[in-house]
Amino acid sequence: QDSRGGDARWLMHSSSFANFAAANDRAAVTKAYTCPSLLTENAEKTATLHLQPRHFHVHVEVHITTAFVTVSGTFYNPREGSLLLVVPIDEDATVTKAEVRCGAKLFSTMVVPLDEVKTANGDVQFKPKDMQAIVTANGANNALPVAPVAGAWGNTESYIPTLFRLPLANLPGNVEVNFEVTYFQTLVYLAGSLELVVPMTIPENLMCGTMKEMFDASVTIDTGTPYVKWGGTSHPMDKERTEGTRIFLRQNKSGEWENKNFNMQFSLVTNEVLANVLTQVLYDSFDSDGNQEGVLSLFLTPPTAEQGQTTFPRNIVFLLDCSHSMYGDPLAAAKKALLAALDNLKPTDKFMVIAFSHVMDFCSGSLQTATQENIDMAKVWIQRIAVNGGTEILPPIQVALKVLTNADGIPFIFLVTDGCVLNEREICAEVQRRNTEIRINTFGIGPFCNTFFLKMLAQIGRGYSGTALQCELIEPKMLRLIRMAELPLLSDLKLGGPPIQELNTDPETGENYVVEKPTLPGVGKLEMYPYPIPDLFCGGPLVVSARYFGKHPTSVELRGKFPNGNLYHRVIDTVPAQGISIERVFAKQQLDLLTAKAWLNESLETVEDVIELSCATSLPCVHTQFVAYETTPEKLKRAQELDAQQREKDRKKGKRTPWSKRNMAIVGSAAVGGVIVLGATLAMFGDIGNTLGNVMTGDAMGTLNTDGIDVSGGEELVGDTECECCECC
């Protein structure tokens, strides 16, 4: 039959396995996979074959500003062999669960501690830099063995930001393959709307019916507030019902469904600052004194930009890394974003630009008023910036801090870098010692920078942090971070009671400095993320989460300051979360900030907290590993029953079995053979060697872990269909 025929069960690609294994074009990889794909190889093992999908379903659950997306579907597998499931996702998404069923076989996933996974040759997995090995109760000798990956799928341990890959060994033929992949993603906030895009454009030569027949979707939105305006979807959907603050949407069967990505958006409509606090009791969790654990979330919604024009004047110092590793696309994209940022300065703003490598170059000797003349002069200067030398971050930070000290309005530092330096903890200590009101936003480019240093620096500076791992995303993501801070509405925010002033001593210099810690009435142990609390901007909602032990608050106080100097004060009644798992929604935020804290303090105790939270919420991080294992439905059910029995025994004894041990026990008893290590996150503690060696970040981003991925994807399909199933006859 013709390769575009609806009865095709698999289609052959023109690329050979030699090209398949050598593929390293990131852009091509990103563009090739526009919907979930199931790959196999032909009988001669010389070409990649795509199995034809029968149906896809997308279910989206939006909780506050976080989307949990479940993509499921069915393929037909005509003959036995090894397959590779490929699911395209957003660069900022994190896969939390995957499951594949084929005949009597079941493949599932689990998050386990890093030091509990052995490589195929018996070596224990990589430990994060600056951290010594964490010895667990199971010990290295009981680590899970890693099974070799069957087929020519390359290294699936490697991390590709926009693709989730799951190898499936020795599947039977003439059966359906059903998959389900769930991932977590923070919604993009643009022009007052929250937006989500799910890749779902099916190549025309893989279509076996209309889009309406091959794809359907369902959406539930719960922002915890009734002030939601539905913006629509790319495919016709109807509002099925509303329950409190929850909106349920289902497919409109009469509308036309186009073959394109699934897109949805909605707005949070308010003409004033809207504050909501949700709480949740964790009934299975107590501290050593018997206090019950709880979590809460503060959700601050800004008014639209048109309704919030009265804002603080700003003094901004832009710090742009121009070391030799920024050569080519990274520097060009960063400069374009910076030029656009200058165009959006307000007449009340002042600015300064510093280009840095191992030396510094200044656009001006001091802060300049944002007149058109000064902006035009700065643009000419920025366009002339060229790469030069190595990376030194502390000197430009010190200059910016000095320039902004005692400046009027809100002082900002925007740091853009692709490098990792040896004195990152010294830089954080320098900012913390000064205890200034200067806000710091950070943006990391490529895989060599230490994202946890950048996150911690931004947290200390009450700012925000972003990262781009693809060259084509540097400009839009960097510009989004800059524009988010264009219209500050509330500053100096404090949640709860008066903060505690704690005196700390710098171990390097012996200098004393004050660290502020949050409080809540009736609460003992309290962790707030992020803290200090960033300012609220028109550019996006502000979300703060907290974990605590003790009395569950019925109300909390929120204090801040308006642009005109007036004080903001609200007593907000807390609302029990209905249908929202707060712990799950904010786990990623907490994991990132806890990991940054562990890095800064070199704290093994905090690392153990990170591991426990990662395993409990199924969110892989740099201290855990995402693994897949083969089992059967019966074995997995039995393993889960044993886990529930053990948990009940421990509860009666007043104990709580750590999630890390529970996950290990389930995999150990359910798995048939070894586990497959999956690339689910990038251990970005920085790469000093590549930074000192001035390795080109653009080259590293272009070849970021594309091992074994066919860049032709579903777009270059040639030749006749090969099929051994009776349905094609």
Side-chain angles (χ1 to χ4, degrees), residues 339-351:
L339 292 171
L342 294 184
D343 283 332
N344 288 307
L345 292 175
K346 304 293 182 290
T348 54
D349 294 334
K350 294 181 180 180
F351 74 99

Side-chain angles (χ1 to χ4, degrees), residues 50-193:
H50 275 224
L51 300 186
Q52 186 179 36
R54 287 185 166 177
H55 187 264
F56 292 127
H57 176 76
V58 168
H59 177 65
V60 179
E61 290 189 12
V62 175
H63 297 298
I64 306 183
T65 58
T66 300
F68 292 90
V69 182
T70 299
V71 181
S72 58
T74 302
F75 292 87
Y76 178 78
N77 183 33
R79 68 181 184 196
E80 64 181 30
S82 297
L83 308 177
L84 179 70
L85 176 67
V86 179
V87 179
I89 57 176
D90 186 86
E91 179 180 273
D92 295 320
T94 301
V95 174
T96 61
K97 182 177 177 56
E99 189 171 277
V100 177
R101 294 175 181 266
C102 181
K105 289 197 172 193
L106 170 65
F107 294 84
S108 192
T109 58
M110 188 71 78
V111 175
V112 297
L114 263 177
D115 59 342
E116 298 297 352
V117 180
K118 283 187 175 182
T119 58
N121 61 8
D123 295 332
V124 176
Q125 281 285 317
F126 160 82
K127 301 294 193 305
K129 295 176 182 175
D130 298 328
M131 299 288 176
Q132 53 186 307
I134 301 169
V135 180
T136 65
N138 289 326
N141 291 332
N142 294 328
L144 298 168
V146 172
V149 177
W153 310 128
N155 177 19
T156 54
E157 289 184 38
S158 64
Y159 175 62
I160 299 178
T162 56
L163 294 178
F164 171 73
R165 295 166 296 156
L166 176 58
L168 309 166
N170 305 318
L171 294 189
N174 198 28
V175 294
E176 286 189 342
V177 179
N178 298 288
F179 77 93
E180 183 175 284
V181 174
T182 298
Y183 60 87
F184 161 110
Q185 182 178 335
T186 300
L187 297 176
V188 175
Y189 190 84
L190 292 171
S193 295

